[in-house]
Amino acid sequence: IWQVDRTERHLENNPMIIEAAEILRQNDVVAFPTETVYGLGGNAKSDEAIQRIYTAKGRPSDNPLIVHVASKDQVDAICTDITPLARKLMNAFWPGPLTLVLPKRGDISTRVTAGLSTVAVRMPNDPIARAIISVANLPIAAPSANLSGKPSPTLAKHVIEDLNGKIAGIVDGGATGVGVESTVLDCTTTPFTILRPGGISKEQLIDVVGLVSDDPALTRTDQTPKAPGMKYKHYAPKALMYMVPKGKETIQALVNHDKEHGQRVGVLTTDENVHRYLNADVVISCGERAQLSTVAHQLYQTLREFDEANVDVIYSETFPDEGIGQAIMNRLSKAAAGRIIE
Ligand code: TXA
Ligand code: MG
């Protein structure tokens, strides 16, 4: 574990960054922070490195990885047919939490793309991630650095909980900023299609390209998602979780009912309402409802805390389905396996 301060100047000269990059060049795997969540990086050109990523995470091999670059020039070696509209998005949001799915070009391990003809690429906006990728001077495949099925890591300690002993090292740069993963946008369709809502909102994308659609599987369970990773049960806490859009009074009544039946009950709430569930066993605020980015920032950590608190059931408040709220609701809905109390 290497502690690195992301505000340090000339990170590319930091010996720990150089060592992490060297390990990547030797086709081993290292976890590092990005602005969204911690990633587990490996050389995207090496079958051996990519196999190590899948093995460490216990990830199904049909779920492709995102290739991370340190500069926009690097993408032309990875994908082809980059339309002017896709370039416009790179210029608007890179470096940043937007992943573009584009036609693949030869130089990447076929395991990265799980045999697909497309590849997902993004340029992260974290100085540590960018320094490591640029010193390694390679395209770096990096899924979230959690065990498959666990919430993505937003602190180095989450990576340690999940992957200690299974990877060559962890660069600890403190808490990640956004807290949910990048938006995955398929640029091979007209209009472009959101496969996974994330750090860049639909409204932000529309401002730049005019029109985007949602993968139908984001709202309907009878459709197969186009991003293979979206079909897996994800981010599931140990307890049974329910989303409760009706809000406080309904949650209070549910808590009372379950307590009478001997259950240990948790409530996932916000700063505004945290004092309203005195009867619940564990009440965790994941941020300020008035400032949804704070909720995204702490959501995964909150889910991990519920696991530690050993509750039987979790009732969660819900959030408006706009801006970063779309990503928050997508992840909550996965954590709850779609269970919702109307
Ligand atoms: O914020 C992020 O994107 C983080 C950080 C580390 O960059 N990474 C991340 O990677 O979330 P991962 O592997 O946990 O999620 C990648 C998602 C999966 O749902 C995967 O199926 C989808 O992207 N994906 C990757 N390549 C694809 C492709 N060619 N076509 C469609 N979906 C793809
Ligand atoms: Mg992931």
Side-chain angles (χ1 to χ4, degrees):
I1 303 164
W2 303 288
Q3 316 266 348
V4 177
D5 176 358
R6 66 158 60 82
T7 64
E8 184 182 310
R9 296 181 59 189
H10 304 299
L11 276 169
E12 63 283 1
N13 299 330
N14 180 305
M16 291 177 278
I17 298 285
I18 294 170
E19 190 174 348
E22 186 49 37
I23 291 172
L24 292 173
R25 289 198 67 81
Q26 288 162 6
N27 300 333
D28 212 336
V29 295
V30 175
F32 55 80
T34 78
E35 78 279 30
T36 56
V37 299
Y38 274 76
L40 178 61
N43 177 2
K45 297 179 174 185
S46 158
D47 287 348
E48 184 194 358
I50 302 312
Q51 187 53 47
R52 285 191 166 138
I53 291 177
Y54 281 99
T55 305
K57 281 181 60 79
R59 182 178 177 108
S61 59
D62 68 345
N63 188 5
L65 309 179
I66 297 171
V67 177
H68 294 64
V69 296
S71 74
K72 286 176 203 153
D73 315 330
Q74 251 181 308
V75 290
D76 294 294
I78 298 164
C79 31
T80 60
D81 305 299
I82 306 173
T83 62
L85 216 50
R87 295 258 182 223
K88 219 173 151 187
L89 286 171
M90 291 176 192
N91 291 331
F93 298 114
W94 282 9
L98 177 66
T99 295
L100 303 177
V101 173
L102 290 158
K104 173 190 164 150
R105 205 182 176 108
D107 219 14
I108 298 289
S109 163
T110 53
R111 294 189 190 182
V112 168
T113 50
L116 296 175
S117 60
T118 54
V119 60
V121 280
R122 94 171 183 100
M123 178 175 168
N125 184 25
D126 180 293
I128 294 176
R130 296 241 304 284
I132 292 172
I133 300 164
S134 98
V135 175
N137 194 23
L138 288 168
I140 298 296
S144 48
N146 51 292
L147 280 177
S148 210
K150 295 270 256 157
S152 293
T154 53
L155 292 169
K157 87 168 187 192
H158 302 152
V159 182
I160 296 167
E161 277 165 25
D162 282 13
L163 300 178
N164 197 19
K166 299 181 169 180
I167 61 178
I170 302 171
V171 178
D172 180 356
T176 61
V178 181
V180 294
E181 300 88 338
S182 62
T183 303
V184 179
L185 187 71
D186 185 352
C187 298
T188 67
T189 60
T190 314
F192 296 166
T193 310
I194 297 177
L195 305 185
R196 177 178 74 180
I200 298 291
S201 70
K202 184 177 188 176
E203 294 84 347
Q204 285 176 291
L205 295 172
I206 288 173
D207 275 346
V208 175
V209 297
L211 190 64
V212 293
S213 61
D214 285 309
D215 184 353
L218 291 176
T219 47
R220 291 173 47 180
T221 50
D222 60 343
Q223 303 279 314
T224 305
K226 276 189 68 189
M230 297 294 281
K231 72 174 182 277
Y232 294 104
K233 184 167 156 255
H234 255 161
Y235 326 117
K238 291 176 198 150
L240 264 189
M241 181 161 147
Y242 295 89
M243 293 182 290
V244 190
K246 273 191 177 160
K248 297 189 280 288
E249 284 77 20
T250 308
I251 293 178
Q252 286 159 351
L254 289 162
V255 170
N256 285 336
H257 172 271
D258 287 3
K259 291 290 292 173
E260 279 163 24
H261 289 77
Q263 302 265 77
R264 199 169 144 78
V265 187
V267 176
L268 191 161
T269 180
T270 51
D271 292 355
E272 289 88 342
N273 296 335
V274 72
H275 56 285
R276 296 196 185 252
Y277 305 104
L278 297 176
N279 203 25
D281 297 287
V282 181
V283 182
I284 306 180
S285 167
C286 59
E288 264 180 85
R289 180 168 287 280
Q291 190 79 47
L292 281 186
S293 60
T294 63
V295 173
H297 177 71
Q298 290 179 94
L299 182 64
Y300 287 142
Q301 171 165 15
T302 303
L303 293 178
R304 283 182 184 254
E305 284 169 11
F306 274 116
D307 275 350
E308 282 162 23
N310 276 313
V311 289
D312 301 307
V313 53
I314 302 165
Y315 294 111
S316 174
E317 293 179 2
T318 60
F319 298 90
D321 214 6
E322 52 192 52
I324 192 74
Q326 208 192 357
I328 295 169
M329 284 304 290
N330 173 268
R331 307 309 191 269
L332 272 181
S333 165
K334 283 180 173 289
R339 282 181 296 266
I340 182 158
I341 295 176
E342 296 286 5

